[in-house]
């Protein structure tokens, strides 16, 4: 008889002999019933089992021929199509139902969801949520089918929930979201708890991706009409907790796209940049920074007008917010269209002022280097004293990256505005700042410095010739 496990144990030869005996017994039973004129359902079932046994024997021969040795044989033979997982094409061990009503084997649909997919693999419909409900009816049918064929499947509990959350955790999460539409005290309590959970437990960040309605529910207190008395303007701690939860969610890579694309998210982050506590404003900037890791989000955030409030916060210069704001502006300005927006919103002037005051020079100089590809930014740098500032950084800084960014910006200015040559010649004659960098800088800095020196020397020669 077949071994009572999900695989066949023993040596290949012993297993083959066992299968042949079983097949011989089944064939004899079929022949005897045919001779007796018996064509009832049980006879058909015997034929099915004989066919399955032949399939297993064939697969075993393939394993032996392929050098599989004593390897085990999976239970994937001749089972009804409705018992197979649509993803793995194997007999389901733990069938579960997704939001569209389709059934899959739990570990395979979990893997699909964990990869960031938000659609049903079979129907391609967008899932309204990604909670998995056990399909007890199909599980029982598979169990009965296996029992009649001497196959025992592994216990479903062996397939652990990959995100480490229990159903009680999920129920608690949903109850917190429901409170966000309740009384003010409930909202404040739930917001604080969601902030803590999404900070400490990565799986709770993932939960927000399991429902299309989770983030809108989280944002309910901030998106209520401004005429309501229980408004976030009156309760800045509630706004801070909600915005910080958005920041926590944006850290999860699979969340970045749908968080940014959820209506109201970017506009509420922009509102927080202008009106929140300094902690809220800083965390809103940090959220925009993490969301802008995706190029599609960079474009979306830029089009939404978020650069202007970021630049305004940068200009205010609060120490707690500066680093997050600078990081967000840098990330957003990586794409070309956002550079023009940043310059139009006054970024070049504000950044130069901060650099002149010695504030976050490293981060801001890197932004200025990106903006220098914009002609308007170059023009403003010349107007607001950029050349002497940059020459001073190249001369006095010990940071090779700052020297490189400084000379790269100067190179652009030099080739755009002839009025800057005099200041650079004076610097070179007095300190040999550019010559030193041409000898000792990074490869890029050497290239840019040599280009400036060549241009300056050419200008001198032309003057002498004239």
């Amino acid at each position: 008889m077949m071994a009572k496990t999900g695989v066949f144990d023993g040596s290949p030869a012993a297993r083959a002999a066992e299968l042949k005996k079983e097949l011989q017994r089944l064939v004899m039973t079929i022949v005897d019933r045919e001779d007796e004129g018996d064509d009832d359902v049980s006879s058909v079932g015997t034929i099915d089992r004989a066919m399955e046994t032949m399939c297993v024997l064939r697969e075993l021969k393939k394993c032996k021929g392929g050098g599989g040795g004593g390897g085990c044989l999976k239970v994937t033979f001749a089972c009804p199509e409705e018992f197979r997982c649509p993803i793995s094409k194997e007999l389901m061990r733990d069938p579960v139902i997704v939001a569209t009503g389709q059934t899959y084997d739990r570990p395979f649909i979990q893997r699909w969801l964990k990869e960031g997919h938000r659609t049903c693999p079979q129907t391609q419909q967008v899932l309204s949520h990604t909670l998995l409900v056990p399909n007890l009816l199909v599980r029982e049918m598979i169990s009965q089918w296996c029992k009649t064929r001497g196959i025992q499947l592994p216990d479903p509990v062996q397939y652990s929930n990959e995100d480490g959350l229990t159903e009680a955790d999920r129920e608690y999460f949903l109850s917190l979201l429901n409170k966000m539409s309740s009384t003010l005290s409930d909202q404040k309590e739930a917001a604080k708890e969601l902030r803590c959970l999404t900070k400490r437990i990565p799986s709770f960040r993932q939960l927000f991706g399991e429902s299309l309605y989770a983030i809108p529910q989280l944002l309910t207190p901030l998106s209520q009409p401004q005429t309501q008395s229980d408004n976030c303007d009156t309760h800045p701690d509630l706004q801070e907790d909600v915005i910080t939860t958005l920041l926590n969610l944006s850290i999860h890579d699979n969340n970045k796209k749908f968080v940014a694309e959820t209506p109201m998210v970017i506009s509420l982050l922009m509102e927080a940049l202008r009106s929140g506590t300094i902690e809220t404003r800083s965390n809103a900037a940090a959220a925009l920074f993490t969301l802008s890791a995706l190029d599609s989000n960079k474009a979306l955030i830029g089009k939404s007008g978020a650069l202007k409030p970021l630049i305004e916060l940068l200009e205010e210069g609060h120490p707690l917010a500066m680093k997050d704001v600078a990081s967000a502006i840098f990330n957003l300005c990586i794409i070309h269209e956002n550079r023009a927006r940043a310059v139009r919103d006054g970024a070049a002037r504000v950044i130069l002022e901060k650099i002149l005051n010695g504030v976050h020079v490293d981060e801001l100089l890197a932004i200025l280097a990106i903006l220098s590809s914009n002609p308007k930014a170059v023009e403003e740098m010349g107007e607001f004293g950029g050349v002497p500032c940059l020459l001073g950084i190249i001369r006095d800084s010990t940071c090779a990256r700052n020297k490189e960014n400084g000379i790269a910006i100067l190179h652009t200015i030099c080739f755009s505005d002839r009025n800057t040559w005099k200041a650079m010649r004076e610097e070179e004659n007095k300190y040999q700042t550019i010559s030193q960098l041409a000898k000792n800088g990074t490869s890029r800095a050497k290239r840019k410095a040599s280009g400036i020196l060549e241009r300056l020397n050419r200008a001198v020669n032309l003057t002498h010739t004239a």
Side-chain angles (χ1 to χ4, degrees):
M1 291 290 292
M2 295 185 198
K4 302 293 185 179
T5 61
V7 296
F8 295 93
D9 303 318
S11 68
R15 286 181 296 191
E18 204 172 299
L19 287 167
K20 288 175 183 177
K21 287 180 182 178
E22 173 69 4
L23 181 59
Q24 187 177 26
R25 186 189 67 79
L26 290 169
V27 171
M28 290 300 296
T29 301
I30 293 168
V31 171
D32 290 344
R33 286 180 178 174
E34 288 292 332
D35 290 344
E36 295 169 6
D38 186 359
D39 57 355
D40 62 9
V41 174
S42 63
S43 178
V44 174
T46 305
I47 294 171
D48 287 343
R49 287 197 293 277
M51 292 176 65
E52 289 163 8
T53 304
M54 289 176 67
C55 289
V56 174
L57 184 59
R58 184 178 62 218
E59 291 296 322
L60 180 60
K61 295 291 185 182
K62 286 182 182 178
C63 286
K64 289 173 68 178
C72 60
L73 186 65
K74 290 183 179 179
V75 183
T76 59
F77 52 90
C79 71
E81 191 62 30
E82 60 268 26
F83 292 171
R84 294 179 186 269
C85 173
I87 299 174
S88 69
K89 308 302 181 186
E90 295 179 3
L91 186 65
M92 291 187 283
R93 270 69 166 174
D94 189 4
V96 291
I97 305 170
V98 299
T100 58
Q102 303 298 318
T103 297
Y104 300 92
D105 203 0
R106 183 184 294 273
F108 295 98
I109 190 63
Q110 279 183 336
R111 187 180 307 153
W112 169 267
L113 296 172
K114 196 168 185 180
E115 289 170 354
H117 301 290
R118 289 187 53 77
T119 56
C120 172
Q122 277 192 292
T123 67
Q124 299 304 309
Q125 289 177 266
V126 175
L127 299 171
S128 60
H129 63 79
T130 54
L131 298 176
L132 304 177
V133 180
N135 192 330
L136 300 179
L137 176 61
V138 171
R139 182 185 294 176
E140 178 61 24
M141 291 170 65
I142 291 173
S143 176
Q144 289 298 322
W145 183 85
C146 290
K147 182 185 286 188
T148 61
R149 286 152 179 80
I151 303 167
Q152 182 178 341
L153 291 173
D155 193 320
V157 300
Q158 294 181 18
Y159 294 91
S160 61
N161 191 339
E162 291 185 15
D163 58 19
L165 294 174
T166 65
E167 287 306 312
D169 291 329
R170 294 170 185 273
E171 289 173 9
Y172 181 52
F173 168 71
L174 294 174
S175 72
L176 290 174
L177 288 181
N178 288 332
K179 283 186 176 182
M180 297 303 288
S181 302
S182 185
T183 63
L184 176 63
S185 60
D186 279 349
Q187 288 177 342
K188 293 172 76 171
E189 177 189 342
K192 189 169 291 296
E193 180 68 358
L194 286 168
R195 174 180 178 172
C196 292
L197 289 172
T198 52
K199 178 182 179 180
R200 293 186 290 105
I201 307 174
S203 298
F204 269 89
R205 300 173 203 153
Q206 184 178 332
L207 274 178
F208 274 87
E210 295 188 356
S211 170
L212 295 174
Y213 313 110
I215 293 179
Q217 282 183 280
L218 170 70
L219 300 178
T220 300
L222 307 189
S223 55
Q224 290 171 340
Q226 295 294 308
T227 54
Q228 290 191 9
S229 57
D230 288 342
N231 182 293
C232 64
D233 290 338
T234 316
H235 304 282
D237 53 337
L238 176 57
Q239 183 191 33
E240 182 182 324
D241 286 336
V242 171
I243 293 299
T244 307
T245 301
L246 278 180
L247 168 60
N248 294 341
L249 297 182
S250 67
I251 294 170
H252 195 286
D253 285 343
N254 288 343
N255 287 349
K256 294 185 191 300
K257 183 174 176 61
F258 82 83
V259 168
E261 293 179 354
T262 298
M264 298 295 293
V265 166
I266 303 302
S267 59
L268 288 173
L269 287 173
M270 289 167 58
E271 178 62 29
L273 286 171
R274 293 187 173 103
S275 66
T277 64
I278 192 58
E279 289 84 3
T280 300
R281 300 172 82 189
S282 176
N283 288 342
L288 290 171
F289 165 62
T290 56
L291 290 173
S292 63
L294 298 181
D295 283 348
S296 60
N297 285 354
K298 290 181 178 70
L300 175 64
I301 295 167
K303 288 178 184 176
S304 300
L307 276 160
K308 188 170 180 61
L310 283 168
I311 292 166
E312 289 170 352
L313 185 52
L314 181 70
E315 186 169 21
E316 285 183 35
H318 196 290
L320 187 63
M322 288 292 285
K323 197 169 185 69
D324 289 322
V325 171
S327 297
I329 294 173
F330 177 86
N331 243 17
L332 290 170
C333 288
I334 287 173
I335 64 171
H336 182 75
E337 54 265 38
N338 281 343
R339 296 173 201 170
R341 295 184 178 110
V343 173
R344 185 177 62 244
D345 292 332
R349 175 187 59 80
V350 171
I351 290 171
L352 263 176
E353 286 177 0
K354 296 302 174 186
I355 291 174
L356 283 166
N357 292 325
V359 177
H360 286 280
V361 174
D362 298 6
E363 293 88 348
L364 297 181
L365 199 59
I367 300 173
L368 209 58
I370 292 177
L371 295 181
S372 65
S373 65
N374 181 278
K376 179 65 175 173
V378 173
E379 181 183 330
E380 290 183 358
M381 288 178 208
E383 290 176 8
F384 297 119
V387 171
C389 171
L390 294 166
L391 286 170
I393 289 171
I394 296 168
R395 182 174 65 246
D396 301 330
S397 177
T398 57
C399 175
R401 182 65 184 275
N402 285 354
K403 289 177 181 287
E404 179 184 310
N405 281 330
I407 199 69
I409 299 167
L410 276 177
H411 185 271
T412 303
I413 296 175
C414 170
F415 280 76
S416 303
D417 184 2
R418 296 182 59 177
N419 294 326
T420 61
W421 295 357
K422 181 179 177 182
M424 285 190 268
R425 272 200 304 268
E426 289 175 355
E427 176 75 21
E428 180 62 17
N429 292 336
K430 190 172 183 180
Y431 300 107
Q432 293 192 322
T433 301
I434 302 173
S435 296
Q436 288 296 325
L437 194 59
K439 293 177 183 176
N440 304 317
T442 64
S443 59
R444 180 168 176 251
K446 288 177 180 178
R447 230 174 26 251
K448 299 296 183 182
S450 298
I452 292 175
L453 288 173
E454 183 181 337
R455 187 65 177 253
L456 291 176
N457 290 334
R458 191 183 305 155
V460 170
N461 292 334
L462 286 173
T463 302
H464 289 163
T465 302

